[in-house]
Amino acid sequence: MEKIQHSEVEVKGLKLHVAEIGTGSKAVLFLHGFPEIWYTWRHQMIAVANAGYRAIAFDFRGYGLSEQPAEPEKETMFDLVQEIVGLLDALNITKAFLVGKDFGAFPGHLTTAVHPERVAGIISLGIPFMLPGPSVVEGHLLLPKGFYITRWREPGRAEADFGRFPVKSVIRNIYILFSRSEVPIAADDQEIMDLFDPSTPLPPWFSEEDLATYASLYEKSGFRYALQVPYRSINVDAGLSDVKVTIPSLLIVGEKDYVLKFPGMEDYIRSGAVKNFVPDLEITYIPEGSHFVHEQMPEKVNQLIIEFLDKQSL
């Protein structure tokens, strides 16, 4: 961990916090989800660097130590696509491998679709290829009104819910909720934070030190941007048609990941329908894997990532 180098890189007028390790000629750019940050990739960065690659993870704009845009409420996933390409430009990287988890898979796949010349291969964890827009909401997010994404899309509701607790408690609560195999859904008289049982310990693979690191970064950034991107902008239409990701792709699915229980999600993956959009897709299932499989089972995920990378060429 102490060998990971940290820097500020200006992209599109914003200073981004960038973490790097490794000096290989092939670059791997890691894209975090929520409630995560660059640090979520700590195990993978070190393993990939040891395998001869240049590993890079960063805090998306508005997250952690990266600067906030002037008007977060106007932002969408597409701003992150420009950010990914801009970061590659700033680091003088012509072509890279992308690894995205949770919502980080969305801008990863969009970048691959719109700028295929910049991506050598893409790995996604938990989230298959989907274009942001009404079809995602209608196809996979129509759950009871207490569904956490529905609640967080409502302006002001999550702010009031989260605001009852210290940032560290919010991160702890979400991490524990998202580690389960059940979709977080609140009753009519509950908020999402009320689903948390204070006596529940952290998962064994997530330490108090890890929690403190996450909390310190979210204490700086707050949740304003995170609630906008992904949650409140996920229905913004991509404006793209007949999109295919034609480069080599790997989808790693934890079979205990609650996302598999979103309407139609498991069938979309297991039936192979996702391959209509990503024809060169390999899918690997990890039976006991949770939503945070890369932190829960880092050695297994690292092995899968490195095996995939080693088969590709830039």
Side-chain angles (χ1 to χ4, degrees), residues 33-37 63 152 162 165-179 193 196 202-203 206-208 210-219 221-223 226 292:
F34 177 81
E36 296 144 43
I37 219 74
Y63 281 81
W152 290 353
F162 295 177
F165 303 94
V167 168
K168 189 174 183 179
S169 297
V170 174
I171 299 295
R172 176 190 288 269
N173 295 0
I174 296 172
Y175 233 86
I176 290 173
L177 286 175
F178 282 12
S179 296
M193 290 296 103
F196 173 71
L202 286 171
F206 191 71
S207 69
E208 289 289 344
D210 294 332
L211 175 63
T213 301
Y214 276 76
S216 68
L217 294 170
Y218 276 96
E219 280 164 1
S221 65
F223 298 103
F292 303 105

Side-chain angles (χ1 to χ4, degrees), residues 23-39:
T23 56
S25 60
K26 296 180 180 180
V28 184
L29 183 63
F30 292 92
L31 312 169
H32 67 77
F34 177 81
E36 296 144 43
I37 219 74
W38 78 268
Y39 182 81

Side-chain angles (χ1 to χ4, degrees), residues 192-267:
I192 298 301
M193 290 296 103
D194 296 329
L195 296 173
F196 173 71
D197 179 351
S199 67
T200 306
L202 286 171
W205 39 265
F206 191 71
S207 69
E208 289 289 344
E209 183 183 359
D210 294 332
L211 175 63
T213 301
Y214 276 76
S216 68
L217 294 170
Y218 276 96
E219 280 164 1
K220 179 187 179 297
S221 65
F223 298 103
R224 183 180 175 187
Y225 193 89
L227 288 168
Q228 175 64 20
V229 181
Y231 299 105
R232 292 173 187 164
S233 63
I234 198 167
N235 63 325
V236 176
D237 196 284
L240 302 169
S241 59
D242 195 29
V243 173
K244 285 198 175 182
V245 171
T246 56
I247 63 166
S249 306
L250 171 65
L251 172 62
I252 299 172
V253 179
E255 294 191 284
K256 298 293 176 69
D257 187 340
Y258 69 86
V259 171
L260 275 182
K261 294 184 178 172
F262 286 8
M265 186 67 75
E266 186 162 14
D267 183 62

Side-chain angles (χ1 to χ4, degrees), residues 93-221:
I93 297 169
T94 305
K95 205 170 190 178
F97 295 99
L98 301 181
V99 184
K101 181 209 170 282
D102 187 64
F103 91 82
F106 278 94
H109 283 128
L110 282 170
T111 302
T112 304
V114 179
H115 301 282
E117 75 284 354
R118 304 303 300 271
V119 185
I122 183 167
I123 301 170
S124 57
L125 280 70
I127 301 288
F129 173 86
M130 295 182 290
L131 286 178
S135 61
V136 167
V137 177
E138 293 162 12
H140 299 296
L141 302 181
L142 290 182
L143 281 152
K145 61 184 179 180
F147 176 43
Y148 78 97
I149 291 180
T150 305
R151 290 286 181 89
W152 290 353
R153 283 174 47 76
E154 187 179 324
R157 187 154 193 169
E159 289 88 337
D161 186 15
F162 295 177
R164 298 178 293 155
F165 303 94
V167 168
K168 189 174 183 179
S169 297
V170 174
I171 299 295
R172 176 190 288 269
N173 295 0
I174 296 172
Y175 233 86
I176 290 173
L177 286 175
F178 282 12
S179 296
R180 297 173 179 165
S181 59
E182 298 303 318
V183 178
I185 298 175
D188 287 350
D189 60 349
Q190 283 183 312
E191 297 302 325
I192 298 301
M193 290 296 103
D194 296 329
L195 296 173
F196 173 71
D197 179 351
S199 67
T200 306
L202 286 171
W205 39 265
F206 191 71
S207 69
E208 289 289 344
E209 183 183 359
D210 294 332
L211 175 63
T213 301
Y214 276 76
S216 68
L217 294 170
Y218 276 96
E219 280 164 1
K220 179 187 179 297
S221 65

Side-chain angles (χ1 to χ4, degrees), residues 236-313:
V236 176
D237 196 284
L240 302 169
S241 59
D242 195 29
V243 173
K244 285 198 175 182
V245 171
T246 56
I247 63 166
S249 306
L250 171 65
L251 172 62
I252 299 172
V253 179
E255 294 191 284
K256 298 293 176 69
D257 187 340
Y258 69 86
V259 171
L260 275 182
K261 294 184 178 172
F262 286 8
M265 186 67 75
E266 186 162 14
D267 183 62
Y268 176 60
I269 297 171
R270 289 195 187 274
S271 71
V274 62
K275 294 187 180 182
N276 292 330
F277 305 98
V278 191
D280 192 4
L281 175 66
E282 178 185 342
I283 304 173
T284 298
Y285 299 93
I286 299 180
E288 295 302 313
S290 71
H291 190 63
F292 303 105
V293 66
H294 64 303
E295 292 180 284
Q296 175 196 9
M297 302 178 179
E299 290 175 0
K300 176 64 176 173
V301 172
N302 295 349
Q303 177 190 355
L304 291 171
I305 289 175
I306 292 166
E307 285 176 356
F308 174 82
L309 296 174
D310 285 348
K311 287 191 292 188
Q312 317 306 328
S313 59

